[in-house]
Amino acid sequence: RWLQFLAGNGLHGILADDMGLGKTVQTLAHLTAEREKKPGRPSLVIAPTSVVPNWAAEVEKFAPHLKALVLQGKDRAALFSKIVKADLVLTSYPLLTQDFEILKAQDWHTLVLDEAQYIKNPKALTAKNACKLNAANRICLSGTPMENHLGELWSLMRFLMPGFLGDEKTFNTNLRKPIE
């Protein structure tokens, strides 16, 4: 319901809890509800390479009615034309960079970053590319949205709601340094 509330109000969010508490299943329930309300545009999940097969298995188990397309491996370019007919596209952070032009050209309904701490460095190409993707809704999933310092949280918020916490320098001066 919380994810539905966010989407219904044009908001984005971070779903952060310990591993194994159901972030993937909750997200699949949300994506299913969104598909039923607003069919047409696919959603995109970007996850670590080793986690993409788990997403595919969870889709098959909990949301088999979703047409999932897994973009992995050297022959994935042959699948690019199927993106528009999918309900859900699954790919990895390394492939976000390699397939960026294809992914950027698509208008996504929901964009999910699993293990969102992968974009904790705002200067990294992966973080920059994630921010440039077009999506009506954005969700970060993470067991560790902040591992080392508050700047990592700023990077996630920049992806979700650009400008909400100000620019990086202002955030560091006014919030990060005084808090840390």
Side-chain angles (χ1 to χ4, degrees):
R1 288 185 186 151
W2 180 70
L3 291 172
Q4 286 291 285
F5 171 81
L6 292 178
N9 289 285
L11 302 170
H12 313 288
I14 300 173
L15 182 55
D17 62 22
D18 289 334
M19 188 172 80
L21 294 181
K23 291 183 292 291
T24 302
V25 174
Q26 289 177 56
T27 303
L28 287 173
H30 169 64
L31 294 174
T32 297
E34 284 296 294
R35 181 183 152 262
E36 290 171 3
K37 286 194 291 188
K38 302 170 190 163
R41 290 183 294 164
S43 291
L44 175 64
V45 172
I46 304 172
T49 303
S50 63
V51 179
V52 172
N54 181 64
W55 269 92
E58 296 289 282
V59 169
E60 192 171 311
K61 183 176 181 181
F62 295 107
H65 52 284
L66 291 179
K67 290 181 271 176
L69 177 65
V70 178
L71 296 179
Q72 270 195 322
K74 61 182 177 170
D75 297 327
R76 70 189 178 283
L79 301 173
F80 290 162
S81 64
K82 296 182 180 188
I83 290 174
V84 295
K85 295 190 185 212
D87 295 319
L88 180 60
V89 176
L90 307 170
T91 194
S92 65
Y93 286 103
L95 296 180
L96 166 60
T97 300
Q98 290 181 31
D99 301 338
F100 178 68
E101 292 304 322
I102 295 295
L103 299 174
K104 185 178 182 248
Q106 178 63 46
D107 188 23
W108 303 100
H109 179 67
T110 301
L111 172 55
V112 178
L113 298 184
D114 191 11
E115 301 297 339
Q117 69 274 12
Y118 270 69
I119 67 159
K120 68 184 179 183
N121 178 355
K123 293 171 181 56
L125 186 57
T126 299
K128 290 177 181 178
N129 285 346
C131 291
K132 292 177 185 173
L133 295 176
N134 301 312
N137 304 296
R138 293 171 179 253
I139 301 168
C140 288
L141 307 177
S142 179
T144 53
M146 214 173 46
E147 293 178 306
N148 301 306
H149 55 78
L150 284 174
E152 295 170 357
L153 186 60
W154 179 86
S155 185
L156 269 62
M157 290 303 294
R158 177 187 68 162
F159 165 77
L160 293 169
M161 298 171 16
F164 183 74
L165 295 177
D167 62 34
E168 187 177 18
K169 182 179 178 187
T170 303
F171 173 80
N172 286 337
T173 301
N174 295 339
L175 293 170
R176 180 180 169 190
K177 288 179 183 162
I179 290 170
E180 289 179 357

